[in-house]
Amino acid sequence: MSYQLIPLHKNLKFLDQCIGVLNDEWPRSREARRASLLKSYDKYPSLVLVHTESNALLGHARLSPVEGQKDASFLEAVVVARLCRGRGLGRMLMEMTENYALSLGYQKIFLSTHDKEEFYAHLGYQRCPPIVSFGVHSNLLSNPMVNSLVQKLIALPQQLLQRQSWSPAGTAPSSSTQSGPPPPGPPPPPPPPPPALASAPAASTVERVSVIWMCKQQIN
């Protein structure tokens, strides 16, 4: 069998197939998915793995910029079509994508995962600190805007702490210049909820998912 890794923006005949494969894994409106995929371009493409004889789209991966690292790329939206899994196509997709990234000058590849660490470790990826990437929206932001935004996000928790006026529970903050009548007390607590019916289903709990960041250094 023969396979090709093709930049989607140069072969838009695969666009509808690509939308289907991605939405099968991560449901989203077709219009939003189409708009995202059409942002593929030469430097940071959406890449599709295609079976050359049948023109069937078997997988997808996207390269995105890493803020502050021009020789690195963030690999995202890596997926193999559900009906084609278990045939080694995931490894093939990764190896072909890495070679394509290297041809563009990216010597380091970052990715994130929550359940495929073992798979990526077998391909040479190692855990690393988180990186900053705006994905398909990176071309909308100039570097000064990105740096300003990142700095504001870093400083935000400290600013909130400085603005918060702490006082013991049930008391108002004291002030030497305070005048006039004291502020009203807190409202009464709400009544307790009615007892749950025996037949009512238990409330579902949200499981916290940890994100693992990984990277791989490539050699020319």
Side-chain angles (χ1 to χ4, degrees):
M1 290 187 180
S2 179
Y3 303 93
Q4 282 184 295
L5 190 70
I6 302 173
L8 181 61
H9 61 280
K10 294 184 178 180
N11 297 269
L12 289 178
K13 67 181 181 181
F14 295 110
L15 180 59
D16 286 340
Q17 285 191 71
C18 192
I19 291 172
V21 169
L22 285 166
N23 280 6
D24 191 36
E25 187 71 18
W26 303 291
R28 189 180 184 186
S29 75
R30 291 187 65 86
E31 293 76 13
R33 182 71 68 187
R34 178 185 295 271
S36 175
L37 289 171
L38 288 177
K39 293 178 181 177
S40 170
Y41 63 108
D42 288 346
K43 192 174 182 181
Y44 295 107
S46 278
L47 300 168
V48 291
L49 181 65
V50 175
H51 180 242
T52 52
E53 282 81 6
S54 64
N55 273 340
L57 190 145
L58 308 177
H60 170 275
R62 181 160 199 145
L63 298 174
S64 294
V66 176
E67 177 59 25
Q69 300 190 49
K70 293 183 178 180
D71 65 342
S73 182
F74 177 59
L75 180 58
E76 58 181 337
V78 179
V79 62
V80 171
R82 287 188 183 273
L83 295 179
C84 302
R85 295 176 185 176
R87 307 178 189 177
L89 294 177
R91 175 181 288 271
M92 178 188 297
L93 173 61
M94 287 295 297
E95 291 174 350
M96 294 175 75
T97 300
E98 289 170 1
N99 290 335
Y100 197 99
L102 196 57
S103 74
L104 295 176
Y106 303 127
Q107 297 182 343
K108 183 181 286 189
I109 295 182
F110 292 90
L111 56 82
S112 62
T113 182
H114 67 275
D115 61 350
K116 296 293 187 292
E117 181 181 9
E118 185 176 356
F119 169 74
Y120 291 120
H122 282 305
L123 297 176
Y125 287 82
Q126 298 179 340
R127 286 199 178 201
C128 67
I131 52 96
V132 176
S133 175
F134 291 95
V136 297
H137 302 292
S138 296
N139 61 333
L140 302 179
L141 300 171
S142 65
N143 283 335
M145 291 176 65
V146 172
N147 292 333
S148 174
L149 176 61
V150 171
Q151 293 304 318
K152 287 179 181 179
L153 290 174
I154 294 173
L156 184 59
Q158 187 61 33
Q159 292 174 358
L160 291 176
L161 286 175
Q162 291 174 352
R163 291 178 184 177
Q164 184 177 6
S165 156
W166 180 87
S167 61
T171 65
S174 61
S175 171
S176 58
T177 60
Q178 185 175 3
S179 61
L197 299 177
S199 59
S204 60
T205 57
V206 178
E207 182 181 355
R208 183 176 180 181
V209 177
S210 60
V211 176
I212 299 168
W213 292 86
M214 307 182 78
C215 69
K216 180 178 180 178
Q217 184 75 43
Q218 301 202 105
I219 302 174
N220 270 317

